[in-house]
Amino acid sequence: MVSDMTDIEKQIKEAAAILKKRGVVAYPTDTVYGLGACMTDVNAVDRIFQVKGRPKGMALPVLLADLKQIEEIVTDFTPAAKRLAEEFFPGALTIILPKNASVPDIITGGGKTIAFRIPNHPVPLALVKGFGQADCGNQRQSEWAPQRR
């Protein structure tokens, strides 16, 4: 039997299934390799801190799939931030804005802001989109937290 799915598509599907089961996955991005978990699953995010030996007070950036997901995690998507996002996403730019109440404190290190970006790499974009429980947490597929090295 011939499969229409490539090895990468199979791996992304498998990684998305792991995320949905509260797991942690490793993946390449346009800048570095990262670890990811559902942003709203505090236990899964905690595993990222454990695996990396990362202090809990350090915030984790969030990867998004598209611009409309930004409004789901911030209180004010300012005109200046919107212009930057439209100009430089997808890409390595990370924007920091005030978080909304749906963002767990573990993601922000207890702070009031959240760092996010839309990667310019097909694997994390496909993973974020494929994770897509309408969506993980608020739940948006955008709401999984990668930890970059």
Side-chain angles (χ1 to χ4, degrees):
M1 174 175 236
V2 177
S3 172
D4 290 338
M5 223 186 279
T6 67
D7 284 341
I8 290 175
E9 289 170 328
K10 288 177 189 173
Q11 291 170 3
I12 290 168
K13 186 175 179 179
E14 184 177 326
I18 290 169
L19 291 172
K20 289 176 185 176
K21 293 179 183 175
R22 310 179 109 183
V24 173
V25 297
Y27 57 89
T29 75
D30 49 338
T31 55
V32 295
Y33 279 81
L35 294 177
C38 175
M39 183 181 96
T40 58
D41 185 336
V42 175
N43 292 324
V45 174
D46 186 54
R47 283 196 291 278
I48 291 176
F49 284 96
Q50 292 171 14
V51 168
K52 297 296 293 177
R54 185 179 175 99
K56 294 247 176 99
M58 291 182 70
L60 294 171
V62 173
L63 294 186
L64 307 174
D66 57 52
L67 292 175
K68 64 185 171 210
Q69 293 175 332
I70 296 168
E71 294 183 15
E72 298 169 10
I73 61 170
V74 302
T75 58
D76 185 22
F77 189 21
T78 65
K82 187 172 185 176
R83 281 193 305 279
L84 284 170
E86 289 170 344
E87 178 71 23
F88 296 104
F89 286 167
L93 176 69
T94 298
I95 295 177
I96 300 171
L97 290 173
K99 72 172 188 144
N100 71 25
S102 71
V103 178
D105 286 340
I106 192 169
I107 296 295
T108 63
K112 296 179 190 232
T113 58
I114 185 164
F116 59 89
R117 70 188 193 91
I118 299 173
N120 189 18
H121 190 287
V123 171
L125 278 176
L127 183 57
V128 172
K129 289 176 183 176
F131 180 36
Q133 286 175 309
D135 300 30
C136 161
N138 159 43
Q139 313 249 118
R140 256 326 191 240
Q141 58 259 37
S142 64
E143 296 177 32
W144 64 296
Q147 191 274 315
R148 297 182 357 191
R149 277 183 106 155

